[in-house]
Amino acid sequence: MLKETLPKLLFFLLFLSSASCRNVPATTQVLTSDAPFSIESKSRMKAVIQKRTFYDNIPSGSGLEEHNGVLYIIGDDSPFLYSLDREYNLLERYALTDTSNFSSGRVAKAVKADLEGLTKIEADGLTYLLMLGSGSSPSRNKAFLVEMPSADKAPVITQFSLDSLYHNMQQNEEIIGNGLLNIEGVAAGGGKLYLLQRALGSNRNVLITFDQQEFMDYLRGDTGGAAPAYNLTFFRLPIMGIQEAGFSGAYFFEDKLFFTASIESTTDAVADGTILGSYIGFIPLQQLSQDAAVATVAPAGVITRPDGAMFTGKAESLVVLESSNRSRRYRILAVTDDDRGNSELLEISLRLNQ
């Protein structure tokens, strides 16, 4: 009897041990717009690279946007905004900040603006590009608003301080946990402005939602310095081993907030780490919960090469170029950063669950 019972008992104990070690929050909400997704991202969402374009003259790509057939890229250690044509050829670069620290081809970590978010925004009948620093140090509490001109005129660039807003957010433990503010994505759409806080260590990925007009009023100094109100939504992203992916970029398209995410072996908002994998996913904005006790599991698929092998670069942001098959397939362009001063554009075919 003992010989028959012992194997079953050992199996039961191993099962309990495995379950107790899983890094899953006590309460989760699974977005079910298409089909269930598990926190381990055993998802049928497919994100396959179709084309790659490498740049050694655009350092550390961190943000991507499109306007009137022109692509715009920022780099987290570059003082420039770059423009590219439809064939991904570099057209121009426009200085956002002082370029005297760029002689080596990269601005030093201690002084860089660390621009991580780039989005197109419509306000007062004009089109702008909005760029945000990460907020992980005082030099990174900056925003830039670029008025997109007509014809061949140069864009008009204005710098703003985010000190009061970022100070407010840096004091909010629901956002930063026991870490630092680390804004990695921004997107505008539907009258809202969405910021993505990247999870580090045991902290959470957070969606921070503003009313777009209130944010613009704050940016332009029309609120007397008072920070605009915001709502928070908390997310769990794919886990590899014991490490969870963190948000890295955002794009609003067809009432969804698409995002890039990556798993990086670092718990430091400033230092880089080895990249274990990158993901593309989306947040159905109609299903958000502001309950701090609820961690929403967002649909996401790992980015792979055409041969099925995992892409181990760091996807930093994305643009949705087009959708087809009743919004089940998307052609996506993502920008990557190799942490060595180079960037790459990836054309990706994204297929949602069937």
Side-chain angles (χ1 to χ4, degrees):
M1 176 66 70
L2 181 60
K3 290 182 178 180
E4 295 176 356
T5 305
L6 187 57
K8 294 179 180 180
L9 179 60
L10 289 173
F11 177 82
F12 180 71
L13 290 174
L14 286 171
F15 173 80
L16 288 179
S17 174
S18 174
S20 66
C21 291
R22 293 173 65 189
N23 185 18
V24 181
T27 305
T28 61
Q29 174 193 18
V30 180
L31 298 179
T32 55
S33 62
D34 296 297
F37 291 78
S38 76
I39 196 166
E40 290 81 7
S41 190
K42 294 175 181 176
S43 167
R44 289 172 291 166
M45 186 183 295
K46 303 295 183 185
V48 182
I49 298 170
Q50 306 296 318
K51 180 181 178 180
R52 303 172 67 165
T53 306
F54 178 82
Y55 300 90
D56 60 6
N57 54 353
I58 302 178
S60 309
S62 59
L64 181 65
E65 185 53 281
E66 183 275 339
H67 177 62
N68 287 345
V70 178
L71 293 167
Y72 294 91
I73 297 177
I74 54 173
D76 64 28
D77 55 14
S78 171
F80 295 102
L81 169 69
Y82 302 86
S83 65
L84 290 78
D85 64 20
R86 294 177 185 269
E87 284 72 45
Y88 312 146
N89 299 304
L90 182 61
L91 297 174
E92 301 283 349
R93 66 178 191 177
Y94 307 99
L96 300 169
T97 62
D98 179 18
T99 62
S100 61
N101 294 317
F102 194 64
S103 57
S104 67
R106 302 174 73 183
V107 179
K109 285 183 181 293
V111 297
K112 71 178 185 178
D114 196 30
L115 297 177
E116 292 284 358
L118 169 62
T119 190
K120 181 167 60 178
I121 192 167
E122 307 288 339
D124 306 321
L126 298 173
T127 301
Y128 299 89
L129 294 180
L130 173 65
M131 287 152 275
L132 302 181
S134 66
S136 56
S137 72
S139 66
R140 304 173 181 194
N141 294 351
K142 297 183 179 72
F144 294 86
L145 202 59
V146 179
E147 181 182 338
M148 305 307 297
S150 57
D152 296 325
K153 297 180 181 178
V156 179
I157 301 169
T158 308
Q159 179 177 322
F160 299 88
S161 169
L162 296 174
D163 281 342
S164 60
L165 174 59
Y166 276 9
H167 177 75
N168 175 292
M169 295 164 65
Q170 287 159 352
Q171 304 306 307
N172 190 332
E173 291 186 2
E174 286 191 319
I175 296 176
I176 67 167
N178 60 1
L180 297 173
L181 189 66
N182 191 22
I183 301 301
E184 287 276 335
V186 60
K192 304 292 184 183
L193 189 72
Y194 302 100
L195 275 61
L196 295 180
Q197 162 78 1
R198 180 179 175 88
L200 286 171
S202 61
N203 299 314
R204 294 185 287 185
N205 289 287
V206 187
L207 170 64
I208 308 166
T209 304
F210 297 85
D211 178 86
Q212 179 180 304
Q213 187 59 55
E214 291 180 4
F215 187 93
M216 292 298 289
D217 289 343
Y218 162 76
L219 203 63
R220 290 167 168 163
D222 297 337
T223 65
Y230 52 80
N231 294 319
L232 305 178
T233 314
F234 307 93
F235 288 90
R236 287 296 187 184
L237 297 184
I239 291 173
M240 187 180 298
I242 60 172
Q243 292 183 285
E244 181 178 352
F247 285 135
S248 60
Y251 190 78
F252 181 89
F253 186 82
E254 293 182 345
D255 297 324
K256 294 183 178 70
L257 187 66
F258 285 82
F259 63 83
T260 51
S262 61
I263 296 180
E264 188 170 6
S265 59
T266 181
T267 57
D268 191 318
V270 178
D272 298 319
T274 302
I275 301 300
L276 305 179
S278 287
Y279 299 81
I280 291 177
F282 69 89
I283 298 169
L285 294 170
Q286 299 81 3
Q287 300 182 37
L288 298 184
S289 169
Q290 274 77 55
D291 185 347
V294 173
T296 301
V297 179
V302 66
I303 300 175
T304 64
R305 303 197 308 248
D307 62 4
M310 183 183 297
F311 172 70
T312 55
K314 180 165 61 174
E316 286 278 1
S317 192
L318 76 165
V319 165
V320 180
L321 299 175
E322 61 183 7
S323 65
S324 59
N325 192 22
R326 298 182 181 180
S327 298
R328 311 293 297 185
R329 294 175 182 269
Y330 296 86
R331 188 164 70 93
I332 285 175
L333 191 65
V335 66
T336 75
D337 169 14
D338 67 359
D339 290 332
R340 295 190 294 271
N342 306 303
S343 302
E344 194 171 20
L345 285 176
L346 308 178
E347 272 195 27
I348 296 171
S349 173
L350 178 69
R351 187 184 69 196
L352 305 189
N353 286 21
Q354 299 297 317

